[in-house]
Amino acid sequence: MTQDEKWPSRVRMTMERIVAGVVEDTWGGRLPSQDVLARQFGVSRAVMREAIAMLLSRGMLDIHSKTGTRIRPVRDWRIVNGDVIGWRLQLDTDPQFQDELMAVYRVIGLAAAAQAAVRASADDVAVLESLFDMLRASPPDTPGHQAALGQLVMRILTVSGNSLFQQMAPLMSAALAVTTRRAGHCAENAAQIVNLYGDVVDAIRRAAPGDAYAAMLALIGDLHAPVLQDAP
């Protein structure tokens, strides 16, 4: 095996050794310097830098110039990689994959709406209502409308209080992108979807989880139907 062929396996093994130390709480909340770790593990500084970079990309570490490398809370570790999902959507036009995204949207969206209705504070409700007002005020099929929609959906995930739902944000964003690209809603359909989001927000404001679930179910059914109709 050449040096170039050994490089990925060395980086992977080094990354897994660092993770083992994190899981075992070997270093507390901060890693030793990269030079110290490289000596301890018997690898080059280049291998160590790459291993650390991989953990940074997974949301497991933060690097600060004055305080070194901090281990982030487990809830911040990225279970789903948004870049990979985006690349998959660019390369894969398979309707089945797009429908699978909508299935994820359905499962997570329903539960998140219901949990948000239970857990939302007055401040949370105020933010949701502000985002809904932005959505309602922006014309359909414009970047501003899509941005407001994305922010509203992500906020519902956050208000749910479920850290795993928040980790699913890239999947939810991808599902929204699919509906935007494929559904081709007319103005009447777009207005109906906005109204349904309003029903979700209103149910969260009223702390009515059953109503929030029902409103999200109606919304997701409306979003999903055009995708199914468009599929060959």
Side-chain angles (χ1 to χ4, degrees), residues 28-52:
R30 298 186 186 279
L31 293 184
S33 71
Q34 293 186 27
D35 287 346
V36 169
L37 284 174
R39 289 195 298 270
Q40 287 181 355
F41 293 174
V43 298
S44 69
R45 294 174 64 185
V47 167
M48 182 55 64
R49 282 197 301 271
E50 185 66 20
I52 293 293

Side-chain angles (χ1 to χ4, degrees), residues 190-210:
Q192 174 64 15
I193 288 170
V194 169
N195 289 337
L196 288 171
Y197 274 112
D199 292 342
V200 173
V201 172
D202 180 65
I204 294 172
R205 178 187 60 78
R206 293 185 287 106

Side-chain angles (χ1 to χ4, degrees), residues 128-148:
L128 288 172
E129 290 179 335
S130 176
L131 291 173
F132 175 69
D133 287 342
M134 290 171 56
L135 176 66
R136 184 170 50 186
S138 58
D141 300 323
T142 64
H145 187 86
Q146 295 307 316

Side-chain angles (χ1 to χ4, degrees), residues 2-205:
T2 66
Q3 287 298 111
D4 286 345
E5 290 171 331
K6 291 178 181 178
W7 170 268
S9 62
R10 286 179 176 172
V11 171
R12 181 77 188 185
M13 289 175 61
T14 301
M15 181 185 70
E16 290 178 351
R17 290 184 67 183
I18 296 171
V19 172
V22 170
V23 171
E24 295 167 5
D25 198 24
T26 301
W27 305 292
R30 298 186 186 279
L31 293 184
S33 71
Q34 293 186 27
D35 287 346
V36 169
L37 284 174
R39 289 195 298 270
Q40 287 181 355
F41 293 174
V43 298
S44 69
R45 294 174 64 185
V47 167
M48 182 55 64
R49 282 197 301 271
E50 185 66 20
I52 293 293
M54 291 176 70
L55 296 177
L56 285 168
S57 71
R58 288 159 171 78
M60 297 176 68
L61 304 175
D62 271 334
I63 293 182
H64 299 277
S65 58
K66 294 183 179 179
T67 58
T69 304
R70 180 177 65 89
I71 299 169
R72 299 182 67 179
V74 173
R75 65 177 179 273
D76 293 340
W77 297 3
R78 292 175 189 153
I79 298 172
V80 177
N81 188 287
D83 288 338
V84 173
I85 296 168
W87 297 332
R88 174 79 186 269
L89 281 175
Q90 289 178 27
L91 297 173
D92 191 345
T93 57
D94 181 4
Q96 180 178 345
F97 175 63
Q98 298 177 357
D99 285 343
E100 287 169 352
L101 281 175
M102 291 306 302
V104 171
Y105 191 109
R106 178 187 178 92
V107 171
I108 296 175
L110 293 174
Q115 289 187 19
V118 173
R119 298 176 176 175
S121 66
D123 289 342
D124 291 328
V125 170
V127 172
L128 288 172
E129 290 179 335
S130 176
L131 291 173
F132 175 69
D133 287 342
M134 290 171 56
L135 176 66
R136 184 170 50 186
S138 58
D141 300 323
T142 64
H145 187 86
Q146 295 307 316
L149 176 57
Q151 290 180 57
L152 178 59
V153 171
M154 296 310 111
R155 191 67 186 182
I156 291 172
L157 292 180
T158 299
V159 173
S160 76
N162 188 313
S163 62
L164 289 181
F165 287 172
Q166 295 172 45
Q167 289 279 326
M168 296 297 111
L171 285 174
M172 300 292 276
S173 295
L176 286 174
V178 167
T179 60
T180 299
R181 184 168 66 243
R182 298 190 62 199
H185 296 300
C186 66
E188 181 179 351
N189 287 340
Q192 174 64 15
I193 288 170
V194 169
N195 289 337
L196 288 171
Y197 274 112
D199 292 342
V200 173
V201 172
D202 180 65
I204 294 172
R205 178 187 60 78

